Amino acid sequence: MNILVTGGAGFIGTNFIRHALAIRPDWRIVNLDALTYAGNPANFEDLAPDQAERYRFIHGDIGDASLIERIFSEEDIQGIIHFAAESHVDRSILGPEKFLKTNIIGTFRLLHASLNFWKTMGRPEEFRFLHISTDEVYGSLGSEGYFTENTPYDPSSPYSASKAASDHFVNAYFRTYDLPTLITNCSNNYGPFQFPEKLIPLMILNILEKKSLPVYGDGKNVRDWLYVIDHCDALIRVFEQGKPGETYNIGGGAERQNIEIVYLLCDLMDKRLGRSGSKSSRNLIHFVTDRPGHDFRYAIDSAKIKQELEWSPHHRFEDALGNTVDWYLNHMDWVNSVRSGAYRKWIEINYQERENS
Ligand code: NAD
Ligand code: DAU
């Protein structure tokens, strides 16, 4: 089984490829990644030899139609798992255009090249295009209720608007051309290899370095957290057993306010660093100017994937968060390698104004 994974050098893609190579010995994976600030090809340097043999990296853009065609003709691709995206909400607020280019135009080009290939391939009934999307397309919940697969789309940020548009194109390619597509809409992931611009790794590293912990607004916004390996298991199930044309929501069932997460991380880190009393990391917390258009609450109803594909998350939130903290503390070489000059500039731009207000 030859699978094209896009965006496999980012957070979820890296975890997915490493996990899939380990548990699916008959899979060979071609990873196409443009290596933006968020992609790191070194994430695969330590693959075991039998896994490294089944892995190929190609540096390139999903919007490059001739490259995609070349990959299809060189490799006997039987399925696509599409992670590549600009993924950070705050970056989409400061510079939306890249999000349209990759998330909308890039996805469209990938779909169209896939359609051309699918029409001419042998065994077209085995082909699958799995599009990885987000619960943010549904907009914001109040303090009650859950997102189901039938919740109307109502995206708030340029990021979620671009993901919503890409989902519509994926569905259009199923309805109009019969391309066997599947969509997953997932809640917030956490775990190893996440770029330290997102809440959990940013807080872990700021606590370690005794920097300010910037909590947006009053810290009461709620996210539904899912350990990344549980997400990867769900994706394998949808890819192998999902019904083309369908959407599957995936959630962790672990709703927490942001401030609860930050407190928990302070406590987990303090235990490991021997800090307490007046030295507690909780003293580093600063409430800063809110994210514009900040969605209040996300919470997923995962009943469909649980019932139809017998998936459920296996990792307990507090345990997996502790393991994530340990992963970062034990991989400071990885952290330092992804914190380029561009990273430092981003942190400066995003937080300077917030801290000053
Ligand atoms: P990420 O930002 O860590 O990684 C994105 C990867 O895509 C990077 O390796 C980057 O180099 C690559 N990329 C970007 N533009 C590209 C292009 N034009 N061509 C080829 N490669 C390109 O993102 P992530 O957190 O791993 O998210 C992966 C996918 O999952 C995204 O589609 C995102 O919308 C979705 N998602 C993420 C979460 C989450 O909590 N992180 C939750 C639900 C859904
Ligand atoms: O819900 C799925 C989405 O989860 C994915 O589609 C996105 O790709 C992913 O980035 C994530 O989006 P969020 O905006 O929820 O994640 P982020 O880690 O940026 O923020 C989580 C919450 O923490 C959010 O309410 C904003 C808040 N926050 C974030 C940062 C970076 C802070 O309070 N302070 C911060 O410094």
Side-chain angles (χ1 to χ4, degrees):
M1 182 87 172
N2 291 322
I3 292 162
L4 174 62
V5 169
T6 70
F11 163 49
I12 305 177
T14 291
N15 281 287
F16 181 85
I17 291 175
R18 294 173 65 97
H19 187 60
L21 287 172
I23 68 166
R24 286 288 179 274
D26 55 333
W27 280 20
R28 187 173 162 275
I29 294 180
V30 177
N31 176 12
L32 171 68
D33 197 297
L35 299 181
T36 67
Y37 75 93
N40 186 358
N43 294 349
F44 303 96
E45 274 173 0
D46 63 343
L47 287 180
D50 72 300
Q51 295 176 15
E53 268 175 23
R54 293 182 283 116
Y55 173 74
R56 177 182 174 198
F57 178 73
I58 298 177
H59 182 198
D61 197 307
I62 53 164
D64 182 347
S66 55
L67 172 64
I68 308 285
E69 276 164 29
R70 189 146 46 85
I71 296 171
F72 282 138
S73 67
E74 272 176 30
E75 307 279 349
D76 183 21
I77 297 293
Q78 284 137 296
I80 300 181
I81 304 185
H82 174 38
F83 294 93
E86 289 291 338
S87 70
H88 190 32
V89 173
D90 292 322
R91 286 186 192 255
S92 82
I93 294 167
L94 288 175
E97 195 157 336
K98 269 191 201 154
F99 287 72
L100 276 75
K101 203 164 161 251
T102 288
N103 300 0
I104 306 178
I105 307 283
T107 298
F108 154 71
R109 296 233 173 100
L110 189 65
L111 277 167
H112 205 73
S114 303
L115 176 66
N116 290 336
F117 171 72
W118 174 70
K119 283 199 281 200
T120 57
M121 76 184 286
R123 309 189 309 280
E125 65 288 353
E126 286 172 17
F127 188 80
R128 291 274 185 285
F129 184 114
L130 170 56
H131 175 63
I132 316 302
S133 192
T134 170
D135 59 359
E136 300 203 11
V137 297
Y138 300 122
S140 183
L141 290 166
S143 42
E144 299 203 342
Y146 296 90
F147 296 134
T148 73
E149 288 78 4
N150 297 320
T151 302
Y153 276 31
D154 184 22
S156 304
S157 70
Y159 161 69
S160 51
S162 68
K163 291 295 291 188
S166 67
D167 293 8
H168 291 318
F169 272 98
V170 173
N171 280 326
Y173 269 67
F174 173 76
R175 288 196 207 165
T176 309
Y177 307 109
D178 296 326
L179 185 70
T181 60
L182 298 139
I183 298 179
T184 54
N185 294 91
C186 185
S187 63
N188 287 61
N189 284 215
Y190 65 99
F193 297 104
Q194 187 168 31
F195 193 78
E197 63 187 353
K198 307 280 166 67
L199 181 73
I200 288 178
L202 181 91
M203 292 296 165
I204 294 173
L205 298 175
N206 283 14
I207 293 168
L208 180 67
E209 291 161 359
K210 296 190 178 160
K211 290 184 182 154
S212 163
L213 308 180
V215 175
Y216 297 170
D218 61 6
K220 293 195 174 144
N221 300 61
V222 174
R223 297 293 181 265
D224 171 359
W225 293 94
L226 177 68
Y227 189 58
V228 64
I229 296 300
D230 283 328
H231 185 192
C232 296
D233 277 327
L235 295 176
I236 291 175
R237 271 182 204 230
V238 173
F239 184 72
E240 291 179 337
Q241 300 165 37
K243 188 167 165 241
E246 293 288 317
T247 288
Y248 297 87
N249 279 359
I250 307 170
E255 284 184 57
R256 299 286 186 282
Q257 290 185 340
N258 293 336
I259 190 66
E260 290 179 70
I261 301 278
V262 178
Y263 284 150
L264 194 54
L265 288 170
C266 287
D267 298 348
L268 287 167
M269 289 287 285
D270 284 357
K271 254 193 215 151
R272 287 154 174 81
L273 300 171
R275 291 182 196 161
S276 61
S278 62
K279 302 241 165 76
S280 159
S281 302
R282 290 188 181 210
N283 295 324
L284 298 168
I285 294 172
H286 278 86
F287 292 91
V288 299
T289 305
D290 209 354
R291 172 184 280 174
H294 197 175
D295 287 332
F296 172 63
R297 173 171 166 258
Y298 304 142
I300 287 268
D301 177 346
S302 304
K304 179 175 173 179
I305 189 169
K306 283 183 174 160
Q307 280 159 19
E308 292 184 14
L309 305 182
E310 294 175 355
W311 170 87
S312 57
H314 287 302
H315 292 84
R316 214 186 127 253
F317 179 69
E318 277 72 14
D319 299 338
L321 191 67
N323 294 341
T324 302
V325 165
D326 290 330
W327 187 87
Y328 279 91
L329 294 178
N330 293 327
H331 289 82
M332 283 308 291
D333 49 344
W334 181 88
V335 169
N336 293 328
S337 75
V338 301
R339 281 166 148 182
S340 63
Y343 169 81
R344 281 186 281 276
K345 190 141 192 272
W346 157 253
I347 293 289
E348 214 176 280
I349 294 171
N350 190 45
Y351 293 102
Q352 205 167 41
E353 264 181 40
R354 289 197 149 99
E355 288 283 352
N356 289 342
S357 64

